[in-house]
Amino acid sequence: MDAVTAPARAVHLVDGSLYVFRAWHSMPDQFHDADGHPVNAVHGFTRFLCELLEKSRAEHVAVAFDASLTSSFRNAIYPAYKANRELPPPELERQFVLCRAITEALGVSVLIDHSYEADDLIGSALWSLRGHGLDSVIVSADKDFGQLLGERDEQWDFARNLRWGPAGVHEKLGVHPHQVADYLALCGDAVDNIPGVPGIGAKTAAALLAHFGSLDVLLERVDEVAFLRIRGAAACAARLREHAELALLCRRLTRIALDAPVAPTADALRRQAGNGQLEALCEQLRFGPLTRSRLRSLLGSTVA
């Protein structure tokens, strides 16, 4: 993995939903709020957010949350998109709202939209900030984000403390960042219920893109596939001819949108002084003294 050091002014863009789900699955059920509701995911997410802010000391940071599990533009394109996933139970939905409240109480920007997913909000923010000459750190383990990384950006798998830039994407997937959406369109993504081209796996997809460069060129020159030195080349060519339209549809699903409604400059993502709700949330969520101390310290260190 290529070693990357985040520039001092890098904007940290956090895949919030990922860390809420991780907390939900990893934290014990012993945490309850003042009304007796479970808040294990909130406690876990709050610990993560505190540690992230303490380690990164980021002046510019935003946390993106999903609110479009059934209403994103991808569902309109392909109704089966993410249909393999169960919707969060009500007790987790309630905790998502509280996680957003904690984020805002710490003066951290929240990105959320009912048509665009967290990936799209992060991608659109990164794209906009790059236009202003700013670098970004994407805090997530999700492989989809590889398509966004420019030469001065990085991705940070916080739980494993692994960081990588564009070269790390190639090391992980065998394709370059600009090929990631095409790669996923070819081999599919079971996590999101994206089928890909039947019979084409990850290694074959990477080999095809290494030779042709892009999905568009591959489909234009599909007759050449049968002559490549890859296993089952003739069958692969036949599958690509038969499923060309499916591959292009899948790419519309795997490509992260860059036109979601986000603030156009980094100033909107600068940490603020909070909204005055932190103490009330600490009481409601029954945070212990250590967590309260960390939160107050972080709130006091914000740059308004």
Side-chain angles (χ1 to χ4, degrees):
M1 208 62 60
D2 52 323
V4 184
T5 301
R9 287 202 68 217
V11 181
H12 286 64
L13 302 168
V14 185
D15 182 7
S17 294
L18 170 70
Y19 293 99
V20 176
F21 276 115
R22 282 191 173 184
W24 166 255
H25 289 295
S26 65
M27 294 291 287
D29 294 333
Q30 66 192 45
F31 299 96
H32 295 83
D33 68 8
D35 298 319
H37 297 291
V39 286
N40 59 319
V42 188
H43 278 247
F45 174 80
T46 301
R47 291 180 189 180
F48 153 74
L49 188 58
C50 285
E51 191 174 348
L52 171 68
L53 295 173
E54 290 163 355
K55 280 189 174 182
S56 69
R57 300 192 176 187
E59 293 183 7
H60 297 83
V61 58
V63 180
F65 292 94
D66 280 317
S68 58
L69 293 179
T70 60
S71 62
S72 85
F73 71 91
R74 292 179 181 85
N75 293 103
I77 295 170
Y78 183 64
Y81 177 68
K82 290 189 177 180
N84 55 330
R85 296 193 190 185
E86 292 185 7
L87 292 176
E91 58 267 31
L92 179 55
E93 284 281 9
R94 182 177 179 278
Q95 293 195 63
F96 263 103
V97 174
L98 290 167
C99 288
R100 296 199 297 269
I102 284 289
T103 304
E104 292 173 332
L106 281 174
V108 174
S109 296
V110 165
L111 306 179
I112 190 165
D113 191 90
H114 287 284
S115 296
Y116 292 93
E117 297 177 64
D119 294 17
D120 304 312
L121 297 167
I122 288 173
S124 299
L126 179 147
W127 191 252
S128 177
L129 295 168
R130 186 179 294 164
H132 292 273
L134 294 168
D135 310 324
S136 296
V137 177
I138 300 172
V139 183
S140 178
D142 192 336
K143 64 183 180 300
D144 296 6
F145 285 117
Q147 64 188 275
L148 298 174
L149 298 185
E151 286 304 316
R152 302 198 312 173
D153 302 314
E154 71 171 7
Q155 187 168 344
W156 184 8
D157 180 346
F158 190 81
R160 297 178 180 175
N161 197 29
L162 295 175
R163 300 172 180 256
W164 60 91
V169 176
H170 192 274
E171 185 179 327
K172 282 171 153 304
L173 302 179
V175 296
H176 299 289
H178 69 276
Q179 299 172 315
V180 169
D182 290 359
Y183 165 84
L184 294 171
L186 284 167
C187 65
D189 188 349
V191 174
D192 291 339
N193 207 36
I194 299 173
V197 176
I200 293 186
K203 288 185 177 179
T204 301
L208 290 169
L209 290 170
H211 185 84
F212 292 101
S214 72
L215 176 61
D216 295 311
V217 174
L218 166 62
L219 296 178
E220 287 171 8
R221 295 165 52 188
V222 69
D223 291 340
E224 299 175 31
V225 173
F227 301 99
L228 296 181
R229 298 183 67 177
I230 60 174
R231 187 175 182 180
C236 181
R239 292 190 191 101
L240 286 165
R241 288 192 197 94
E242 181 182 355
H243 299 288
E245 291 301 319
L246 176 60
L248 293 172
L249 169 64
C250 288
R251 187 173 62 182
R252 294 173 67 192
L253 305 176
T254 61
R255 182 179 281 165
I256 292 176
L258 303 177
D259 59 351
V262 294
T265 66
D267 285 343
L269 305 185
R270 180 183 289 272
R271 286 184 61 202
Q272 302 295 321
N275 57 11
Q277 298 300 310
L278 185 62
E279 292 301 326
L281 283 167
C282 285
E283 287 296 318
Q284 176 64 28
L285 295 166
R286 299 174 65 195
F287 283 148
L290 178 59
T291 299
R292 294 186 189 215
S293 176
R294 293 177 79 182
L295 289 167
R296 288 166 185 155
S297 176
L298 285 166
L299 192 59
S301 68
T302 56
V303 181

